[in-house]
Each structure stands twice: as structure tokens, then as C-alpha cells.
Amino acid sequence: MKIGDKHYRTIWLNDDNWSVEIIDQTKLPHEFATRPLRSSADAAHAIRSMLVRGAPLIGATAAYGLALAMREDASDAHLASAASALQATRPTAINLRWAIERVREPLTRAPVNERAALAYRLAAEICDEDVAINEAIGRVGAEVFATRWRELGAKRPLNILTHCNAGWLATVDWGTAIAPIYKLYDAGVPVHVFVDETRPRNQGASLTAWELKSHGVPFTLIVDNAGGHLMQHGDVDVCIVGTDRVTADGSVCNKIGTYLKALAAHDNKVPFYVALPSPTIDWATARGSDVPIEDRGAREVTHISGRGSDGGVIEVALAPEGTQARNPGFDVTPPRLVTGLITERGVAEASNAGMKKLFGEKAAA
């Protein structure tokens, strides 16, 4: 997407053809900054510390992490060590494991002196595929939303609610849940987006709001608990979220708070869609209850960062000193609450049968 007059992806190879550059998302929205990754340890740190986040981008970063590892030392032992270290950074997003295996498996069969070049080529392929997949998700979802807009009379903007950030910052480009919004807006359909703040890291307030503002899409920031109230009063026409993993039964694991939005949407008869690329489907995990849920640090809950009166970014305490806090990063939305899964191949029912119908039995093997 564009920032000013320049097109950016969220991750790219530098002019030296070996180091990798990322957008440091911990600086947004107050500062746009990039950071180089020069080692597999740098890539692991970027994922763990959420300089990059979003399931597809985590996977792409891990792929380049393996490429950097092979430049350091292409031995079997270092490959195994780097893959293990990258895998341990974030346990919930399935794209991480998928991307690591997509790169690691061919490397094990390649001559040692060819592994680095092969790893870089595979990482680039993963990034290019992600862009194409997400643009396709945008086209599919835009048609779903356009149909909804026409059903409602096509006389006012379509009011869309989203949770967390599933825009281009969560992927290599375009995004998942936000891609249909971009496509719809660019096609001239009037839209308005309610953006959940998404506590505790406020990815909606800091990232989704920044993205939409940069693109010119009208939006309103709301607190996480306002969505149900707005749905009760008819202010929301459709909900869409991304996901870090969809299990074989159609359960959706996404940012904490997604389940509550799905419940409110179901109770108020508001369509609730989930946008995802096919690598986010975890065919090997039967149920959502089997997904490991990342439990993040308490400080994300007890403290918050923002821009101070002097223009600098500061951290302030929200809770009394010594307060204990629990911080699960994700929750699971059961299939019965999901209207449909918007993928690059079309819209699937949130069920094993529905996903197999779209992707075929071979995908689930």
C-alpha cells in the first residue's frame, strides 16, 4: 500500500540482496520507522516483540529468518536450531509453522552450498503469494459487501465493524479483513468502518485507524465494549475480522474479544465474516479447543503507551502498583457464530465440509 507517494510492503529485501527490512509496528501510529533484520535472531526478536504481527506477516518474517540463518550457517544443525527458535516465538498463529515447514523441508534435501539461495527464493515466493492471495480475498469480500449494501437499499454508507488489525500491516500487502474494505471503497461504494480499539495493545486504535486514515476510508474509533450497543441500535451492517488460525471444524482463533463480537452479531442478526488466506487453515487440529492460546505479559494490561504533550512516546501505568493481570492474546469463536469464511477461492461455510468443498479433500490430507 502507499504511504505518501511511495508504495510499501511490510517486509522486503534490501538493496544488498541479503538483509531484510521491516516496518517497526511498535512505533505506529506516532512514527513511521523501518528496521533491518540481519540475522535469524533479529527475525525471531521481531516476531516475539511484535515489531511485526499478524499471522501472514509472521510467517513471511519467519521464512526470511530461515534464509538469514542459512546465510550464517547452512548446516543441518543450524537449520534445525533456527527453525525451532523461530517456531517458539508465537504459539498461536498457524502461518508461522506453515511458513517454516514450507522453507525448511526443501532445504533439508538441498546441498549445503545451495541452501541460502534456495531459502531466499522460497521466502520471496511466500511473500508474493501472500500479496496475490490477499488481493483475491479483497475481491471476494468486496462482492459480499456490495451485495449486502444493495440488500440494504444502497442509499447510505455500509457500516462495517472490525476488530484488531487485519489490514496490510498484518500481511505482506493488502490485508485480509480490511482488503475487501479497500476494494469496495476504491470501487466507489460508500463505506464507514467502526474500528475497535483492541485492548490491550490497541492494534485497532494505532494500526487499523492509521491504515484507514492513510487510505482515506471514513472510520470511527470505538472502545472494545461498544460494538454490541451499536449492533443493538442498528448502526452496524456487517462485521469482519481476520484470524490467526481456523481449525478443521471451522473454529476461528483470533484476537481476544472476537468471540464477544461474534456473540453480539449473532444475537442482533448482523452477518459476521472471517477473512483468511488458505495457509491459515489448520487441517491437522480438529477443534478450536485444541489451539494453544498465547498468554502474554501482564504489563500490556497494567500499562499503556501513547504520545505525551511534548510529542514523545511515553508509557504510563493504568492500574495500582503491584496489580496482577492475566493477558490471553486470543479467543476462539465457534463455527455456529460465523456467517462465512472469506478466502481467496470464495466464501466457505465455517465447517469441515464447507472448507473441503472449497479447497478439496487434498488440502485436508
Side-chain angles (χ1 to χ4, degrees), residues 103-178:
V103 176
R104 188 198 65 80
E105 198 276 332
L107 292 180
T108 61
R109 294 182 279 105
V112 171
N113 64 342
E114 297 177 9
R115 286 179 176 178
L118 176 59
Y120 275 100
R121 186 165 68 251
L122 292 170
E125 287 177 3
I126 286 173
C127 288
D128 290 344
E129 287 175 11
D130 185 65
V131 176
I133 285 173
N134 293 329
E135 185 173 9
I137 289 171
R139 290 194 299 269
V140 172
E143 183 52 42
V144 171
F145 285 2
T147 300
R148 175 68 172 158
W149 179 62
R150 290 190 291 267
E151 289 172 351
L152 295 171
K155 294 180 180 179
R156 58 170 178 79
L158 184 71
N159 286 305
I160 305 165
L161 184 144
T162 190
H163 186 65
C164 197
N165 173 259
W168 72 275
L169 287 169
T171 65
V172 178
D173 207 346
W174 281 103
T176 55
I178 307 300

Side-chain angles (χ1 to χ4, degrees), residues 13-355:
L13 199 62
N14 278 320
D15 292 339
D16 59 17
N17 286 321
W18 70 269
S19 67
V20 179
E21 200 78 10
I22 59 168
I23 296 172
D24 183 350
Q25 299 189 30
T26 64
K27 303 290 187 182
L28 293 171
H30 309 298
E31 177 187 352
F32 178 79
T34 66
R35 180 180 293 203
L37 307 179
R38 297 191 175 96
S39 67
S40 57
D42 285 349
H45 170 75
I47 297 169
R48 185 184 302 107
S49 300
M50 295 184 71
L51 278 68
V52 296
R53 21 72 52 208
L57 179 54
I58 287 171
T61 305
Y64 269 120
L66 284 182
L68 290 165
M70 292 300 90
R71 187 176 184 273
E72 298 159 359
D73 174 2
S75 67
D76 288 345
H78 191 59
L79 173 58
S81 175
S84 179
L86 288 162
Q87 178 64 54
T89 55
R90 301 288 303 274
T92 302
I94 193 61
N95 297 65
L96 176 63
R97 186 179 73 193
W98 170 84
I100 289 171
E101 287 306 304
R102 168 86 176 263
V103 176
R104 188 198 65 80
E105 198 276 332
L107 292 180
T108 61
R109 294 182 279 105
V112 171
N113 64 342
E114 297 177 9
R115 286 179 176 178
L118 176 59
Y120 275 100
R121 186 165 68 251
L122 292 170
E125 287 177 3
I126 286 173
C127 288
D128 290 344
E129 287 175 11
D130 185 65
V131 176
I133 285 173
N134 293 329
E135 185 173 9
I137 289 171
R139 290 194 299 269
V140 172
E143 183 52 42
V144 171
F145 285 2
T147 300
R148 175 68 172 158
W149 179 62
R150 290 190 291 267
E151 289 172 351
L152 295 171
K155 294 180 180 179
R156 58 170 178 79
L158 184 71
N159 286 305
I160 305 165
L161 184 144
T162 190
H163 186 65
C164 197
N165 173 259
W168 72 275
L169 287 169
T171 65
V172 178
D173 207 346
W174 281 103
T176 55
I178 307 300
I181 297 173
Y182 288 140
K183 289 286 189 181
L184 204 64
Y185 175 79
D186 290 347
V189 176
V191 298
H192 168 264
V193 185
F194 285 112
V195 178
D196 279 352
E197 59 183 348
T198 324
R199 286 279 293 144
R201 291 188 65 94
N202 296 299
Q203 295 99 323
S206 60
L207 302 180
T208 302
W210 182 81
E211 276 196 40
L212 294 175
K213 182 179 179 182
S214 298
H215 201 85
V217 179
F219 71 94
T220 301
L221 179 66
I222 60 173
V223 299
D224 284 354
N225 289 331
H229 168 79
L230 295 177
M231 291 182 214
Q232 283 182 326
H233 288 80
D235 293 333
V236 177
D237 300 317
V238 63
C239 298
I240 187 168
V241 299
T243 176
D244 290 78
R245 187 187 306 216
V246 173
T247 54
D249 67 340
S251 295
V252 173
C253 183
N254 192 47
K255 181 59 58 181
I256 194 75
T258 301
Y259 173 47
L260 295 180
K261 301 301 177 299
L263 283 170
H266 186 265
D267 192 49
N268 290 279
K269 296 179 174 56
V270 175
F272 184 89
Y273 289 98
V274 179
L276 68 149
S278 52
T280 303
I281 302 173
D282 179 8
W283 297 103
T285 300
R287 298 171 298 276
S289 58
D290 296 329
V291 176
I293 300 298
E294 180 180 0
D295 209 343
R296 299 187 58 81
R299 193 174 183 86
E300 290 183 351
V301 178
T302 59
H303 292 67
I304 195 168
S305 63
R307 178 177 285 173
S309 58
D310 63 354
V313 176
I314 59 173
E315 182 184 72
V316 298
L318 291 172
E321 186 176 353
T323 296
Q324 293 186 344
R326 188 174 177 185
N327 186 16
F330 304 88
D331 59 26
V332 175
T333 298
R336 65 182 176 83
L337 300 178
V338 178
T339 305
L341 302 173
I342 298 176
T343 78
E344 71 269 25
R345 293 194 183 182
V347 182
E349 178 187 275
S351 68
N352 188 269
M355 293 188 295

